[in-house]
Amino acid sequence: MYASTDSISLPDVTPELRQQLFSYVLQLADTSLILAHRISEWCGHGPVLEQDLAMANISLDLLGEARSYYQYAAELEGQGRTEDDLAYLRPAVEYRNPLLVEQPNGDFAHTILRQFLYDCFHYHLLVQLQAGPDRHLAAIAEKSVKEAAYHIKWSSEWVIRLGDGTDESRRRLEKAIGSLWRYRGELTTPTTTEQTLQAAGFVPDYAAIQQQIDAHVARVFEEATLPVPQGVFMQKGGKDGRHSEHLGYLLAELQYMQRAYPGMKW
Amino acid sequence: METLEVNLEEQFQTRIDADVRIEPKDWMPDAYRKTLIRQISQHAHSELVGMLPEGNWITRAPSLKRKAILLAKVQDEAGHGLYLYSAAETLGATRDQMLADLHSGKAKYSSIFNYPTLSWADMGTIGWLVDGAAILNQVPLCRTSYGPYARAMVRVCKEESFHQRQGFEIMQTLCEGAPEQKQMAQDALNRWWWPTLMMFGPKDADSPNTEQSMKWRIKRFTNDELRQKFVDMMVPQAEFLGLTVPDPELKWNEAKQGYDFGDVNWQEFWDVVKGNGPCNHERLQARVDAWEDGAWVREAALAHAEKRKQRAGTAAA
Ligand SMILES: [Fe+2]
Ligand SMILES: [Fe+2]
Ligand SMILES: [Fe+2]
């Protein structure tokens, strides 16, 4: 049934697998949307106008990517829900983003480190997904990977600047590492959905991605003159809908209009 | 010496009258340079501060499509700020000094951004009316006498007309929607109409610099002329939307082929200009906070660049 790996058309997929794929695409969508939302909170408040532009740009990229995933998820589900229904009308417990991306912005160092940790995973994931058997997903990945390549360059350069900048920037970055490192593991810890899809060849092997991430982190941290933290206990749960306290507030804001004025067109 | 200066000034005016562009390296009267720096930096500051009222709704936009459009719009405004600061720098101003003047309250920005954005309909109204007013102010500046400014305005104006169409489309969607949505649109128009008319500045009689600026072609229409054009352009659009312009004196004047309209509340205008509008304090504070909170980031970037330079120097030696 999956003989021709580069051209699986989804009608051939079993309903169970289709359901898993729907959950996974939704997880990708939620992740991009929540991070886009967080970065957009900086808009107009950045440390310098050029970085305001850069952050708006990254936020727009992620938002565009999120929309592609939501539209595809809606198609996979086939229940007539739209991208907006999926984004605006699901409660926090149904959101599938990892804990990392919902963490508040904090200061610029905190935002940079959150972005860096995510970009490392995001970029390497997209590189794999664009070669995957689901051609719709591959097409989204192919478009997004070009943007993600810019994101990882941007955040890596800032990690280096802040780590190897002033005493203050280093202290702030170290503080961010102390708060955020523990959310890194969830990105490459597969949920049961991800395991099923990995077995079916739809989702890449995370162990291989983890190696690529570690190599990149090691290079960037060396240039930033920072030690790579070891033996940190990793938090998880977001991808299974068990979130931190922050997500509820974020969604209250994000979903405010749709909740206050149900069923209207905007 | 005296005669030489006079000659230069005459030649300068002759070039302006012949619509020859003045470029950064050309001789120009001090007053021309100063006036332009003030005008361009004020415009740049307006783009920068203008990000705040609309930025206020990015996280609450009612659909993913609207969120993307709004974020892209605010990003465009940041880009306009950059072009304009660069144009002012060609006249010898520095961005740090211009920003210091903004933060100290010495430099002004458009008063319209000192009003709060209270509902989603404000995003429509700002695009429709405020970007609309900006276009009327700025399209003539694409032919302004100073080259870098004129070229910056060409790029800016293209994007502003895009913003205006998007704003109008938000209004149209609201006006064709549920009664609450139409009510939201009307309320926004009620709050923004008069402040938008104020965007064109004081009446001609109270605008002493207009004459010189027109002579230098860094202004091409008077404030009252632009205000009239704006009303004539917007009233039919409001009618098309089914909204009521909140001016009981508004009336078509067949003889002048334009609308007669009520007088702006000039007391409110001057209050806001002097810093006493509803959001002057918040807007300026937000800019000062962003700048001060970002100081360590800018310092780190400089320090790191310096370290790299030194290392490269050591490696080469
Ligand atoms: Fe603008
Ligand atoms: Fe403008
Ligand atoms: Fe605009």
Side-chain angles (χ1 to χ4, degrees):
Chain A
M1 191 169 177
Y2 306 121
S4 161
T5 49
D6 59 350
S7 65
I8 284 180
S9 61
L10 284 167
D12 294 344
V13 170
T14 62
E16 293 74 27
L17 205 55
R18 195 185 174 93
Q19 175 60 39
Q20 301 285 355
L21 207 50
F22 165 71
S23 299
Y24 179 67
V25 174
L26 206 50
Q27 173 186 316
L28 294 174
D30 292 344
T31 306
S32 291
L33 176 63
I34 298 301
L35 189 56
H37 180 105
R38 279 297 187 217
I39 309 165
S40 80
E41 292 172 357
W42 272 99
C43 194
H45 306 277
V48 64
L49 193 48
E50 284 80 355
Q51 297 312 319
D52 245 318
L53 271 162
M55 287 192 279
N57 202 30
I58 292 171
S59 179
L60 272 170
D61 288 344
L62 290 170
L63 184 55
E65 191 184 346
R67 291 185 65 193
S68 302
Y69 292 138
Y70 280 128
Q71 288 161 12
Y72 182 40
E75 203 182 307
L76 282 169
E77 187 189 38
Q79 302 287 323
R81 283 205 278 184
T82 65
E83 56 168 355
D84 287 333
D85 293 337
L86 292 171
Y88 289 92
L89 300 177
R90 282 183 305 136
V93 288
E94 288 181 26
Y95 259 71
R96 287 290 176 262
N97 60 280
L99 297 170
L100 175 72
V101 297
E102 70 198 41
Q103 299 309 307
N105 287 339
D107 64 9
F108 189 71
H110 203 264
T111 293
I112 288 295
L113 190 80
R114 185 186 61 201
Q115 190 66 36
F116 174 70
L117 294 178
Y118 182 66
D119 291 342
C120 288
F121 171 72
H122 188 212
Y123 174 73
H124 291 293
L125 174 70
L126 292 174
V127 168
Q128 299 296 322
L129 281 180
Q130 51 175 349
D134 179 343
R135 284 198 292 180
H136 197 138
L137 202 51
I140 300 173
E142 200 182 324
K143 178 176 179 287
S144 304
V145 76
K146 297 186 191 92
E147 298 163 349
Y150 161 75
H151 304 170
I152 192 173
K153 182 171 182 291
W154 180 81
S155 60
S156 300
E157 284 171 1
W158 272 109
V159 167
I160 293 166
R161 268 186 214 115
L162 298 181
D164 187 29
T166 61
D167 289 347
E168 182 175 9
S169 67
R170 186 186 178 86
R171 182 180 56 73
R172 286 175 183 266
L173 188 59
E174 281 167 347
K175 191 175 162 204
I177 293 170
S179 313
L180 293 171
W181 203 263
R182 63 208 163 108
Y183 297 118
R184 176 180 180 248
E186 183 180 12
L187 301 173
T188 47
T189 305
T191 60
T192 43
T193 295
E194 286 169 307
Q195 281 168 357
T196 309
L197 291 170
Q198 281 174 336
F202 281 86
V203 171
D205 173 25
Y206 286 166
I209 288 185
Q210 186 68 57
Q211 279 185 1
Q212 293 170 317
I213 294 173
D214 289 347
H216 183 78
V217 169
R219 263 191 296 121
V220 171
F221 270 46
E222 196 195 326
E223 254 201 88
T225 70
L226 290 164
V228 177
Q230 303 295 332
V232 177
F233 183 88
M234 290 297 163
Q235 297 292 334
K236 58 182 193 328
K239 293 198 289 190
D240 285 315
R242 295 191 311 280
H243 291 279
S244 63
E245 290 173 348
H246 303 296
L247 186 65
Y249 294 97
L250 188 157
L251 290 181
E253 199 171 331
L254 186 131
Q255 299 180 336
Y256 157 66
M257 290 293 291
Q258 291 275 351
R259 300 290 190 183
Y261 303 94
M264 294 181 192
K265 276 183 61 187
W266 302 95
Chain B
M1 202 60 211
E2 185 81 337
T3 32
L4 184 64
E5 188 84 344
V6 170
N7 277 338
L8 283 171
E9 202 142 356
E10 268 173 20
Q11 282 168 16
F12 176 83
Q13 191 59 49
T14 312
R15 292 184 66 189
I16 299 241
D17 294 342
D19 257 332
V20 176
R21 285 274 161 81
I22 307 300
E23 294 300 332
K25 291 208 172 89
D26 297 340
W27 184 90
M28 61 187 84
D30 253 5
Y32 176 84
R33 184 186 299 273
K34 277 194 193 125
T35 305
L36 263 181
I37 290 178
R38 182 162 41 84
Q39 184 173 332
I40 300 173
S41 64
Q42 195 168 313
H43 189 173
H45 298 330
S46 302
E47 302 286 352
L48 187 64
V49 177
M51 294 170 74
L52 298 169
E54 288 179 284
N56 182 40
W57 278 87
I58 291 170
T59 56
R60 288 178 294 168
S63 74
L64 295 177
K65 182 180 148 206
R66 291 291 179 208
K67 192 190 274 296
I69 292 174
L70 181 60
L71 183 53
K73 179 190 193 243
V74 179
Q75 187 194 30
D76 284 347
E77 309 299 5
H80 299 168
L82 273 187
Y83 309 153
L84 287 159
Y85 284 122
S86 303
E89 280 169 340
T90 64
L91 290 157
T94 66
R95 211 206 293 180
D96 279 356
Q97 186 55 52
M98 290 185 268
L99 288 177
D101 289 345
L102 171 67
H103 298 156
S104 72
K106 185 181 160 208
K108 300 287 175 216
Y109 55 86
S110 181
S111 282
I112 194 74
F113 301 120
N114 291 314
Y115 290 84
T117 53
L118 302 176
S119 81
W120 171 251
D122 291 25
M123 298 304 99
T125 312
I126 289 180
W128 172 42
L129 295 183
V130 175
D131 286 80
I135 292 166
L136 280 181
N137 266 325
Q138 291 167 18
V139 166
L141 295 177
C142 298
R143 296 182 294 119
T144 195
S145 61
Y146 186 58
Y149 189 24
R151 289 188 289 274
M153 292 322 299
V154 171
R155 294 172 73 178
V156 168
C157 283
K158 260 187 216 148
E159 293 179 348
E160 301 296 12
S161 30
F162 197 56
H163 298 165
Q164 209 235 345
R165 276 205 302 279
Q166 289 166 339
F168 185 79
E169 203 214 316
I170 292 179
M171 295 308 274
Q172 205 176 349
T173 309
L174 293 174
C175 291
E176 288 166 359
E180 297 99 302
Q181 287 173 298
K182 180 142 192 198
Q183 166 59 33
M184 200 186 277
Q186 181 64 55
D187 172 64
L189 177 59
N190 293 348
R191 283 180 290 109
W192 290 95
W193 176 256
W194 291 105
T196 318
L197 291 191
M198 295 178 199
M199 284 177 72
F200 298 98
K203 279 192 211 201
D204 292 349
D206 302 320
S207 181
N209 300 324
T210 296
E211 200 188 334
Q212 178 64 68
S213 291
M214 304 244 319
K215 204 173 151 218
W216 278 335
R217 303 206 175 164
I218 54 180
K219 188 167 178 162
R220 311 208 59 145
F221 295 98
T222 72
N223 297 350
D224 288 335
E225 284 168 350
L226 289 169
R227 201 168 2 249
Q228 180 71 51
K229 269 181 198 251
F230 178 79
V231 173
D232 292 343
M233 183 170 107
M234 290 305 173
V235 171
Q237 295 184 14
E239 279 169 2
F240 175 86
L241 290 169
L243 295 173
T244 308
V245 173
D247 178 358
E249 290 172 52
L250 186 75
K251 202 167 149 251
W252 177 253
N253 181 329
E254 189 59 38
K256 80 171 184 188
Q257 285 296 300
Y259 287 90
D260 290 332
F261 54 97
D263 204 12
V264 164
N265 179 345
W266 293 109
Q267 183 58 48
E268 178 181 327
F269 172 80
W270 291 112
D271 283 346
V272 180
V273 168
K274 285 177 187 143
N276 298 315
C279 294
N280 290 63
H281 181 79
E282 287 91 332
R283 299 293 186 238
L284 199 53
Q285 195 61 50
R287 286 314 316 160
V288 170
D289 287 349
W291 189 247
E292 289 178 353
D293 294 347
W296 69 269
V297 179
R298 299 188 302 274
E299 282 159 20
L302 280 174
H304 179 72
E306 190 54 39
K307 283 183 189 177
R308 281 190 106 96
K309 219 165 80 190
Q310 282 184 3
R311 263 179 244 144
T314 323

